[in-house]
Amino acid sequence: MKYVARRQVLKGLGLAGLALSLPGGALAATSQELASEGLARLQEGKTAQALAALKEAAKLDPANAWVFNLLGRSYYTSGQQRLAADNFRLALRIDPADGYSRMMLDVLAQHPLPPAPAEKPGKSKRLSQLEEQARDELSAFAKTGKAPGKRLLLIDPGHGGADKGVTGTTGLVEKDLTLDVATLLAAELNASDAFRAMLTRQADYAVPLWARKAQADLFGAELMISLHCAASLPGYAGVEVYSYSGAASDAEANAVAELENGVLRFERVQPPVLAEPASQRGLLGAWRVRSGERRGKELAESLAAKLTLPGTFGPAHARQAPLRVLEGPRCPSMLIEMGFLSNTQEEKALKGKEFQAVLARTLAQGLTRILG
């Protein structure tokens, strides 16, 4: 598992020719130049110069989440934790998908923030609406230790483009089914008060496995759920929830891993080589790998225990396998085999729009229960 900064991931996806639609639209050129200058000075350890450039960038483009993200980093580096928290909060307010700012707020919440400096008599500053909202949310965050707003779940419709996945006996294609159910699942989650969902693909096109995982880090997802359908020998049926493991839990899980990992032969765009921050190497990097895999296994087992679908599906089963799509994102991840297209009864059920809606609703309810 490798964590790369949000901008590094974005740069890498751009180098590979994969365009992603990001909130906030295009960046103002002058503000972008100042922000890049501030980042360069910050990396050189020249914090005062970084702050000067970034403050000017914020004036030019007050809706630029990246600028406030960098201001937070600069203040944090200079030991000004409260100002760091203020700016990370602003960045997250502008862009709720800013995973770095959310992470830093989690770090800052572990220690009491220094008191805010008292205002001098006779002087008062009128806060903008955005600053007032950020102040109120920061106050709530300091009391609860939880970032306000909806938590992001990344839904990955398996396969796409030239990679059709499994095709059932009546012609039901896995890549189409996964997109249909993923769209319904995202709608269910977005209608809740706690979660919002994004898709790794919104239509029938190819997305490399590495780019699907990179989006989880790019957008700061709390959990990545990859949707698939299985095929096996006659007699196999039901929903299976997989977590990542270097070794398969059984022969069936190993067969599923070989089938799903076979999509690599369709990939024409290779992952870019990005510099890995020193903090992600060594013991800390290994700990993050183990922590993410352990959490993913716990969530997969919990979800499987709570899923029951009508008909031949019955209760779900939890398994582990070396699935490449689950290997690497900083957040926990799971892969859900929504049934066997090699099973004629399940294919018939999965083909129906009403059952697809039931499946999406059941998955949304299960995810809500296990994530709290």
Side-chain angles (χ1 to χ4, degrees):
M1 183 189 308
K2 294 182 179 180
Y3 170 70
V4 284
R6 182 172 183 269
R7 282 283 164 178
Q8 284 181 292
V9 177
L10 183 56
K11 179 182 178 183
L13 291 171
L15 288 173
L18 292 171
L20 292 174
S21 297
L22 296 177
L27 297 171
T30 305
S31 176
Q32 175 70 7
E33 290 171 359
L34 286 167
S36 299
E37 175 69 17
L39 176 59
R41 300 290 80 78
L42 180 61
Q43 292 173 336
E44 294 170 359
K46 300 176 180 178
T47 311
Q49 294 180 22
L51 285 169
L54 293 168
K55 287 177 181 178
E56 288 300 314
K59 291 178 183 178
L60 291 170
D61 188 2
N64 189 329
W66 187 43
V67 170
F68 290 104
N69 179 305
L70 292 174
L71 276 168
R73 300 189 204 187
S74 301
Y75 281 121
Y76 183 79
T77 301
S78 64
Q80 302 180 71
Q81 293 185 347
R82 176 166 287 278
L83 287 173
D86 286 343
N87 282 277
F88 285 132
R89 181 71 250 133
L90 276 168
L92 202 56
R93 178 68 187 176
I94 297 168
D95 180 8
D98 187 344
Y100 186 93
S101 291
R102 191 177 298 277
M103 178 188 72
M104 288 305 300
L105 283 170
D106 288 341
V107 171
L108 289 165
Q110 297 176 23
H111 304 283
L113 292 175
E119 292 188 5
K120 296 181 179 180
K123 288 190 175 182
S124 63
K125 177 186 175 183
R126 181 176 178 81
L127 299 178
S128 67
Q129 183 180 9
L130 180 63
E131 289 173 320
E132 288 178 350
Q133 292 171 337
R135 179 197 59 193
D136 294 341
E137 291 184 3
L138 179 61
S139 176
F141 176 81
K143 293 177 182 177
T144 64
K146 297 180 180 179
K150 293 187 175 184
R151 297 140 68 190
L152 176 65
L153 303 183
L154 184 67
I155 313 299
D156 173 41
H159 308 280
D163 173 22
K164 294 183 179 180
V166 176
T167 301
T169 56
T170 67
L172 182 59
V173 179
E174 182 181 2
K175 67 172 183 176
D176 298 331
L177 177 62
T178 59
L179 182 59
D180 288 343
V181 176
T183 303
L184 293 170
L185 175 57
E188 291 281 346
L189 292 168
N190 286 329
S192 74
D193 295 328
F195 301 105
R196 64 189 187 90
M198 294 180 63
L199 301 182
T200 58
R201 67 179 179 96
Q202 293 79 35
D204 182 16
Y205 54 82
V207 180
L209 295 187
W210 64 264
R212 297 171 192 256
K213 298 181 290 186
Q215 290 182 58
D217 288 336
L218 174 65
F219 295 115
E222 180 172 333
L223 174 67
M224 185 179 87
I225 306 105
S226 191
L227 300 181
H228 293 260
C229 286
S232 186
L233 296 173
Y236 281 94
V239 175
E240 298 182 332
V241 186
Y242 281 84
S243 56
Y244 179 81
S245 173
S249 56
D250 52 54
E252 173 64 22
N254 188 62
V256 168
E258 290 181 354
L259 178 67
E260 298 297 356
N261 293 341
V263 305
L264 292 169
R265 70 184 183 275
F266 293 100
E267 297 188 358
R268 298 293 179 263
V269 181
Q270 297 302 311
V273 178
L274 296 172
E276 184 180 11
S279 61
Q280 307 308 314
R281 297 192 291 265
L283 292 176
L284 181 57
W287 174 83
R288 283 200 172 99
V289 171
R290 292 193 300 271
S291 177
E293 291 177 2
R294 182 172 60 251
R295 178 61 172 159
K297 182 174 183 291
E298 292 172 354
L299 291 173
E301 291 176 346
S302 297
L303 181 63
K306 290 176 170 56
L307 287 181
T308 301
L309 290 164
T312 60
F313 288 82
H317 303 280
R319 285 190 163 95
Q320 297 82 49
L323 291 154
R324 294 289 294 275
V325 73
L326 303 184
E327 182 185 15
R330 183 168 60 94
C331 67
S333 56
M334 65 175 69
L335 183 147
I336 301 175
E337 298 284 1
M338 303 181 295
F340 287 78
L341 293 186
S342 54
N343 182 298
T344 54
Q345 289 180 303
E346 291 195 351
E347 182 191 10
K348 181 180 179 181
L350 288 165
K351 206 168 186 177
K353 295 300 181 183
E354 290 185 7
F355 185 82
Q356 290 177 16
V358 170
L359 176 58
R361 191 178 310 115
T362 303
L363 289 174
Q365 291 171 350
L367 290 167
T368 301
R369 290 175 65 185
I370 67 170
L371 294 171

